[in-house]
């Protein structure tokens, strides 16, 4: 359970792209927040400034009571799980080994270098694999699994860290619609049952409607909406998507109703 606060956080990439204009927001512990916006809106940048996969050009990120900085980054990152669009697994390694990668941050020096895991790590890995429904896949090569199963491994790798905060960057963009729902159900359940603050970026309005409690809408690196999911009216969607709003929404209608 971590509270997250952004205070004037901005990111301009080398080359001058202002991906995120100064942004301040607060995310309550244990909440499930959807970042919604079209491709290029700055969702990924915002998420990645939280765990400093991107260094903000300005502003401060606070997690719990602590400002994220070089001194506490390692310790804080240890409690932040990240789930990626393309899963970021090592395909030729088995599922168990991929999951155990999530434990590396818990070990220092040689133990981590030599991948020396103890009974507790392996027990924890089994527990999270059971949590994501992959008990029977532990010893299979990761690249033999379906996309949905691979994303479950990605989620297990994040959970094995025992995170207080889970960041999921377009976690369902590489899977089919039915699988997207399963993955989103899993993330929502993890947030609700385990009390892990969860921030998920999505570009699909229907998924945001179905799963978001609070939705933060981004366009051009700016927050253009921040409120409960019921506030996603047509004018708001126009602010988030511009001309593309109707198409995006229509495209997802089957998913919303199905
Ligand atoms: P989203 O996740 O909403 O698709 P991103 O945060 O990935 O948006 O991108 C926001 C803007 O920043 C886009 O214009 C994108 O091209 C640009 N951008 C993202 N990453 C980089 C980078 N590493 N270097 C330069 N520009 C980038």
């Amino acid at each position: 359970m971590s509270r997250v606060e952004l205070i004037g956080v901005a990111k301009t990439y080398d080359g001058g792209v202002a991906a995120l204009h100064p942004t301040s927001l607060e995310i309550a512990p244990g909440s499930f927040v959807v970042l919604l916006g079209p491709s290029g809106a700055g969702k990924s940048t915002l998420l990645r400034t939280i765990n400093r996969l991107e260094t903000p050009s300005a502003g401060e990120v606070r997690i719990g009571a602590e400002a994220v900085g070089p001194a506490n980054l390692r310790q804080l990152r240890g409690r932040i799980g990240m789930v990626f669009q393309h899963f970021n697994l090592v395909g030729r390694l088995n599922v168990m080994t991929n999951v155990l990668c999530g434990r590396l941050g818990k070990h220092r020096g040689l133990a981590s270098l030599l991948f020396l895991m103890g009974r507790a790590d392996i027990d924890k890995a089994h527990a999270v694999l059971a949590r994501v429904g992959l008990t029977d896949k532990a010893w299979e090569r990761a690249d033999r699994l379906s996309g949905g199963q691979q994303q479950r491994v990605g989620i297990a790798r994040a959970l094995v860290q025992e995170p207080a905060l889970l960041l999921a960057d377009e976690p369902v963009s590489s899977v089919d619609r039915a699988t997207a729902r399963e993955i989103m159900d899993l993330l929502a359940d993890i947030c609700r049952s385990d009390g892990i603050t969860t921030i998920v970026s999505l570009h699909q309005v229907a998924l945001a409607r179905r799963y978001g409690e609070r939705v933060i809408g981004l366009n051009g690196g700016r927050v253009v909406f921040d409120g409960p999911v019921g506030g996603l009216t047509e004018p708001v969607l126009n602010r988030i998507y511009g001309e593309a709003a109707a198409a995006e929404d229509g495209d997802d209608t089957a998913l919303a109703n199905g």
Side-chain angles (χ1 to χ4, degrees):
M1 286 251 258
S2 263
R3 170 179 175 276
V4 180
E5 188 177 5
L6 273 64
I7 307 164
V9 172
K11 176 69 184 180
T12 300
Y13 286 105
D14 295 343
V17 179
L20 189 65
H21 294 279
T23 297
S24 297
L25 49 88
E26 214 179 304
I27 290 172
S31 57
F32 191 87
V33 176
V34 168
L35 295 183
L36 181 68
S39 176
K43 306 180 297 295
S44 179
T45 301
L46 193 160
L47 276 181
R48 292 163 70 92
T49 58
I50 294 174
N51 60 356
R52 262 204 167 47
L53 286 181
E54 298 295 350
T55 309
S57 315
E60 186 174 281
V61 175
R62 303 185 76 85
I63 296 181
E66 293 184 73
V68 183
N72 59 6
L73 185 58
R74 184 190 147 93
Q75 173 246 325
L76 283 173
R77 260 198 200 145
R79 305 296 314 280
I80 305 176
M82 183 108 185
V83 176
F84 301 88
Q85 177 178 352
H86 299 294
F87 325 131
N88 290 19
L89 305 180
V90 184
R92 66 194 159 74
L93 296 180
N94 65 37
V95 165
M96 174 58 81
T97 309
N98 273 281
V99 172
L100 284 171
C101 286
R103 295 296 285 183
L104 286 175
K106 306 252 177 229
H107 299 276
R108 289 191 165 270
L110 213 55
S112 128
L113 258 172
L114 297 177
F115 215 86
L116 292 174
M117 298 287 164
R119 189 74 241 168
D121 298 304
I122 293 172
D123 287 349
K124 184 76 198 164
H126 278 299
V128 295
L129 280 172
R131 179 79 169 83
V132 303
L134 287 180
T135 296
D136 56 335
K137 302 288 182 198
W139 307 108
E140 278 201 36
R141 264 175 73 131
D143 58 8
R144 300 253 164 83
L145 305 187
S146 70
Q149 289 169 332
Q150 291 193 41
Q151 191 55 294
R152 285 170 184 273
V153 178
I155 293 170
R157 181 185 54 196
L159 287 182
V160 87
Q161 288 177 243
E162 302 174 311
L165 172 63
L166 195 56
L167 307 176
D169 192 2
E170 297 262 8
V172 298
S173 290
S174 303
V175 299
D176 64 52
R177 289 179 171 209
T179 307
R181 288 257 287 258
E182 291 172 15
I183 298 289
M184 288 300 295
D185 283 340
L186 179 60
L187 290 171
D189 184 61
I190 286 166
C191 173
R192 202 172 36 241
S193 309
D194 305 3
I196 300 173
T197 310
T198 303
I199 312 176
V200 182
S201 74
L202 295 173
H203 66 268
Q204 305 96 324
V205 178
L207 283 179
R209 282 214 166 101
R210 189 178 179 91
Y211 292 96
E213 293 166 9
R214 172 181 174 192
V215 175
I216 297 175
L218 284 169
N219 180 293
R222 288 192 169 84
V223 173
V224 295
F225 172 77
D226 185 353
V229 69
L232 288 177
T233 58
E234 203 155 312
V236 166
L237 290 176
N238 276 325
R239 252 189 276 154
I240 300 173
Y241 286 95
E243 300 279 300
E248 283 279 346
D249 207 17
D251 187 40
D252 289 329
T253 306
L255 200 149
N257 299 332

